[in-house]
Amino acid sequence: MVRIKGKRTLSSRMWLSRQLNDPYVKEAKKRNFRCRAVFKLMEIEEKFRLISSARYIVDLGAAPGGWSQLLSERSHPDANIVAVDLLQFDELPRVKAIIGDFEDESIKTQIHDLLGSKADLIVSDMAPATTGNAATDHLRIVNLMYTVIEFSKTILSRHGNLVMKIFHGGEEKKLVECLRQHFSSVHFFKPKASRSESAEIYLIALGFLQ
Ligand SMILES: C[S@@+](CC[C@H](N)C(=O)[O-])C[C@H]1O[C@@H](n2cnc3c(N)ncnc32)[C@H](O)[C@@H]1O
């Protein structure tokens, strides 16, 4: 157990201590993954097998690139992966990066152009910067995910799949109902790598109905 002393604030000491003692952080370092988030997508893949058969993939909220790393390693050798984030991140093989706000129409056009085809798989680990107010953070991520659904309708191929992160809250039922109108099935998934105290949960929408 690593203990942190010194002049840091309590919350920064707690964050650092959690990072230093987190087995997923250690494992990510050992295996040269960019962040612990990669293990969440790994668990999603173990259960739903979405990556290995995908040729055209969109990764929304991709920085620092953990999910893109896994997508690049596990997808078809000819796969085309387009990854978007507000923040710059280091290059990866077979990943075309777009730096910008996914909500901008020009960024959506760039995704279409760089992908050059309908998508088999869209993954979104995007989350607006959190405010500390659970209700506000929930509403903000749910609104962003409605934008992801609208975008999916323009780019997802028939039978394509969509993975999205949300934070639990009152609007989640309506969001799931909306997904159910467009997909054959919708599943809730809380990876073990997702901290139990975090309100995050992943929605796995399978089989786009077009
Ligand atoms: C939890 S991180 C993603 C981690 C990533 N899956 C990985 O494995 O490296 C969430 C990301 O969403 C991005 N983000 C939030 N809102 C966005 C938006 N409107 N457009 C693009 N990226 C956004 C943030 O900049 C942040 O890097």
Side-chain angles (χ1 to χ4, degrees), residues 35 37 61-67 85-87 100-102 125-128 144 165:
C35 57
W67 281 29
D85 205 288
L86 295 165
L87 307 174
D101 186 341
F102 164 72
D125 199 22
M126 265 191 304
L144 186 57
K165 174 168 75 182

Side-chain angles (χ1 to χ4, degrees), residues 99-164:
I99 308 306
D101 186 341
F102 164 72
E103 295 195 86
D104 286 355
E105 288 312 311
S106 65
I107 298 293
K108 294 188 188 121
T109 307
Q110 280 186 54
I111 301 174
H112 275 277
D113 292 347
L114 282 185
L115 199 66
S117 171
K118 291 275 187 181
D120 308 307
L121 175 62
I122 300 175
V123 294
S124 171
D125 199 22
M126 265 191 304
T130 49
T131 63
N133 178 306
T136 305
D137 294 338
H138 165 68
L139 286 177
R140 290 176 62 184
I141 199 166
V142 165
N143 280 338
L144 186 57
M145 291 311 117
Y146 277 116
T147 317
V148 171
I149 294 174
E150 282 312 304
F151 174 68
S152 301
K153 285 160 62 181
T154 70
I155 199 167
L156 210 47
S157 61
R158 192 168 156 73
H159 306 308
N161 303 308
L162 169 63
V163 172
M164 59 165 64

